[in-house]
Amino acid sequence: MADVELVKKMLREVLTANKSGPGVSLSRLQSEYKDLTGEQIPHKQMGHGNLDALLHSMPSVVRMERNRSGEMVYFASVSGETAHVAKLVARQRTSKKTGRPQMVNCQMRVKPAAPLVLNGRACVWGGLPKSISPSNLNESAGSGKPKPQHSPKDYNPSSAGGNYSPQQVQGRLREVLNKYSNGFWVSKLPQLYRELYKQDLPSEALKDLEHWTHVCTVKSYPPPPPLSLHPRTSNPSQSPLPAPYHHHEPSPPHPLPPPPVTQPPLHLSPDLKQKLGELLVKYSNGLWAHALPKLYLDTYKTKLPEHVLENLSLLSDFCTVDYPMPDNPKRAILYKRTKEEESCNRRESVEERRAREEVGRRLSSQAVPPLLIPREEYPSVLVVEATNTNGVILRYIGEGYSQAQEALEDKMREFYCCQDNNSRTPLASPTSGQLTAVRAEEEEEILRAQVTEVMTDKVKVYYVDHGFSEVISKAKVFELHDTFFKLPFQATKCKLAGLETFCQEPAVLKKFESMASGKILLAEILEREQTPLVVLYDTSQDDDVNINAACIKALQDKTLASPLQVNSAYMNVAVRSVCSDGTIYCQLPSRGLAKLTEILEKTEAYFHSQVTSEFLVSRPFCGKGCLARYKGKWSRVEITNLHGSRVLDILFIDLGVQASVEVFELREVPSPFLHDLIAIPPQAVKCCLADLAVSGVGSWTPDAVQWLRDAVLNSTDCSMKIAKLDKTKRSVVHVYLFTDKNFHDPTRSLNRQMAASDLFKHQGDVFLSTLPRPPSVPPLPPSPPQPQPLPAPMGPSPSYDAPTLARDPGHNMDIYVSVACHPGHFVLQPWRDMYKLVVLMGEMILYYNKTEEKPLKVEKNQIYAAKVENNWHRVLVKGVLTNGLVSVYELDYGKHELVSCTQLRPLIQEFRQLPFQGITAQLAGVKPRQWSEEASIVFRNHVEKKPLVAQLEAVQEAHHPWDRKLTVFLVDTSQEERDIWVHDIMKPER
């Protein structure tokens, strides 16, 4: 039997997501429900002959109308939730009486969840590392690269279906495994399932157990061969088997002894075990083994013994070892195994029992159940108030919380307003700590409250469901009937991440009051403790606002910001970053920059003097400020996006440089310098060149960007004059930029030089390329020749594999577009193998950064490793120039670059195993033509650097894998309302 409430909830989610549209058709409702849950709507299991009958039976969820064409469309029914939320906000009364709090955003924009966690909590130990798994690249709360939906919303492939829900059984199996973390016999699973869920375990599920490797590990032990089921905590061959849960059955035999060795066995010293344990505890989601040597050296100022990585089994008594890529045993993830994790459920139940006992002692002889944290990662909350950011009072919004409270208060109103009810008699002698029913001062509402102070004819009460206090007459206090003890108290507390040290700072509390109090926000739950650690977001605006980060910025000393005045000139300007849209980030001489440099130098020395793991960042989140190395020195960064739990995007706030790093590369700001570094505003000033007749995204050509970078990057002797201050949302400073101190002569500015050049001149039809060229090179020809297959390299050469792709027309695949020139030429990467490329590039960085530069004869049409910026890429040499530069093509990303021949290395065999990931493609559904620059810009804006769904139309094979070409439809499935088929945008208007 299907879970009716769960089906209702999922239907409501689908309909609410489309609330602003013209209704949802039946076919689309089915498709989006399956996208969300992985299942068809189970109308037959719920006793209805067809889907329409099921929807008619849910008037509280679904509202039906016929559109103009006569088709039945479906909407989300309007519930009492929004109106009730308004009441909740109105009830927030404090002694300040500052007026009615503002209520915004009753319908939250739901953060997308990764497919692996749609059906329950993701297994901590199982599967691929979250940092690179394609199904976990969108776990962050911040905006980033979401994983594309595998199928467009109106693409509804047939499903084999089944008589039971594998997703539901898998979710329940995870709960059972959490309860019995040491495993149990498969023969006992039906009994456990029946006891816990009052249902029989479907027989098909027992057959599927061995295939659910993302949930559990199934082992057999001969003889006899009973099966033992374990949570997926590690590679079975890498850790000793704990004693499984059993019931009148023998324990499995001990593992076989290891084979004889010719050398004495290696051991770890107690000191080494302790240090490695300290490092692994910091990374509860696992640590790549390859990161261990550098992390150990940075932390303890001594090298990690080489035999540790060569014998990871030595770590098995205090950590588990997982191999996410079976074909590469050198790639391993280490997880710390702690007693706390093994007894997590038992510890939580003890805490809950203690909480219930404490509530019973403090408030009444009746036991009130504890309030459980919502299961979803991003629940909606109503913020009541905060006198301390370590104890923000809030309420959870939604089913089981505010809606349950609304129903309770309706029952209380009926109960206490009944004329013949003796409970209407006020309490004669209320006592402090007593739990009571109270008639609200301004409304005819009956609320649960605790007496906190007794006066002559009044009492002060705390509304346990609403989180505020009030002084009322004793005549409004009644005895609370036993019926109303069953619902947990709804007012609870949370702690704001990143503000622990500044929890009572007046500036922080003032900012929080103005941005959050009385509002409904989105809460990202980082730690599910008795007082959960959260990040709050206001999603009512076009851009999500990180409340935690905004409160931290309230501590900045504005007098330390870069001085900016119109018509003022500045010398000794350092241009730190030039973006592809022409935006530049500059550092100006200022008191703040001088103080920042001084503090960072002290921080550098402090790190060198410390031998501890306390500065490792173990809980990254969006908006967090910390430190990372830039060109060998520690610099301030802000985390802008998380790709899982270990790989993240950062912004060097004083340089304007963005980067992606692994979490072990970050450090916490040491407490002696924390207040001073927080007080200094970011020193990178966002600028653009004034008076350039260039506007719109994509108007800056690669030639113009490269020319500007060559002119100003890494120079600290530039000067600039401010033409205009843009104080809008973009906060851009319009400047005249000079490479010397002659800012008095406008004709010497880079603005005038670029305006007078051909850098921005576009031809009518042009083949776009990312290949930069010096300014002296003439513009690209109007009709470039089409790319021809490369001739085979001279002499014997190794063969290279292309990514394995389905050949069937209509096949859908998740992809990422790394380069887009125009609809006739773009480069895509298969999403499923992106994590392998991340692993490979990490290995190349570790290998080539340690090798010394050696003379190398570079030949055209040969494969090499090339250092481009800070990464090593697999490249094909397209040409060798006489000035020492080499034109290369990045085989995994499809970009053209110019690099120095000194930055090339031989590509060793180990790095040739993974097929080249960049696949050339053209858009299906449009006629081939010479695309104009304007059309190319439109196309590029819609697809470049985005995850999409590609529907295969045709494959054009070639001798070399980099010459293979696909013809595909591209679909953007990131919008809630509809899918965007790119070829429809690119079709000319008739």
Side-chain angles (χ1 to χ4, degrees), residues 512-586:
F512 184 82
E513 174 73 21
S514 64
M515 296 188 69
S517 290
K519 294 184 179 181
I520 297 178
L521 305 173
L522 200 68
E524 178 189 10
I525 301 177
L526 303 179
E527 294 181 358
R528 293 176 176 270
E529 300 175 345
Q530 187 172 358
T531 302
L533 184 69
V534 306
V535 180
L536 295 177
Y537 296 90
D538 184 350
T539 62
S540 62
Q541 309 299 320
D542 292 338
D543 297 321
D544 294 348
V545 178
N546 186 316
I547 302 296
N548 299 41
C551 289
I552 281 288
K553 291 179 173 62
L555 295 170
Q556 293 176 357
D557 183 352
K558 303 303 182 184
T559 65
L560 298 177
S562 299
L564 300 173
Q565 292 183 358
V566 176
N567 295 325
S568 295
Y570 303 86
M571 294 185 293
N572 300 318
V573 174
V575 179
R576 298 300 186 187
S577 175
V578 177
C579 303
S580 58
D581 62 352
T583 302
I584 59 178
Y585 287 88
C586 304

Side-chain angles (χ1 to χ4, degrees), residues 882-894:
T882 57
N883 60 358
L885 294 179
V886 180
S887 170
V888 298
Y889 176 75
E890 295 178 2
L891 292 163
D892 295 305
Y893 290 90

Side-chain angles (χ1 to χ4, degrees), residues 18-207:
N18 295 275
K19 63 181 184 298
S20 60
V24 181
S25 66
L26 191 64
S27 60
R28 183 175 174 186
L29 181 62
Q30 289 176 306
S31 176
E32 295 196 13
Y33 184 94
K34 185 173 182 180
D35 288 341
L36 180 63
T37 66
E39 302 175 325
Q40 299 285 357
I41 301 176
H43 59 85
K44 291 184 178 179
Q45 292 91 322
M46 297 176 68
H48 296 275
N50 54 60
L51 179 56
D52 189 62
L54 171 66
L55 298 178
H56 272 91
S57 70
M58 297 180 173
S60 63
V61 177
V62 184
R63 177 172 59 87
M64 307 179 189
E65 291 183 6
R66 291 194 180 275
N67 59 20
R68 294 181 179 179
S69 62
E71 180 187 13
M72 185 69 74
V73 291
Y74 302 87
F75 301 85
S77 293
V78 178
S79 66
E81 178 68 10
T82 302
H84 182 61
V85 165
K87 291 183 181 180
L88 298 182
V89 176
R91 285 176 183 159
Q92 183 199 348
R93 305 178 181 88
T94 66
S95 57
K96 299 177 183 178
K97 296 291 184 181
T98 54
R100 189 181 186 90
Q102 180 184 5
M103 182 184 70
V104 299
N105 196 22
C106 290
Q107 295 293 338
M108 303 304 298
R109 178 162 63 247
V110 178
K111 294 285 181 178
L116 285 186
V117 299
L118 282 178
N119 299 303
R121 184 171 59 83
C123 184
V124 173
W125 306 105
L128 299 170
K130 280 188 177 181
S131 61
I132 54 176
S133 170
S135 57
N136 281 277
L137 286 176
N138 190 38
E139 292 183 328
S140 68
S143 58
K145 295 192 297 185
K147 179 190 183 301
Q149 298 179 16
H150 187 69
S151 300
K153 294 183 180 67
D154 53 358
Y155 173 80
N156 190 19
S158 60
S159 174
N163 294 325
Y164 78 105
S165 168
Q167 289 81 6
Q168 183 186 56
V169 176
Q170 289 172 10
R172 291 177 171 178
L173 179 57
R174 287 191 179 98
E175 295 176 357
V176 177
L177 289 169
N178 286 337
K179 193 174 185 67
Y180 302 105
S181 58
N182 285 332
F184 53 86
W185 296 110
V186 169
S187 61
K188 295 304 175 186
L189 181 57
Q191 175 185 342
L192 291 172
Y193 193 95
R194 190 180 306 110
E195 291 174 354
L196 291 172
Y197 302 109
K198 313 304 179 189
Q199 294 179 4
D200 290 331
L201 176 71
S203 58
E204 295 91 340
L206 286 174
K207 302 175 183 177

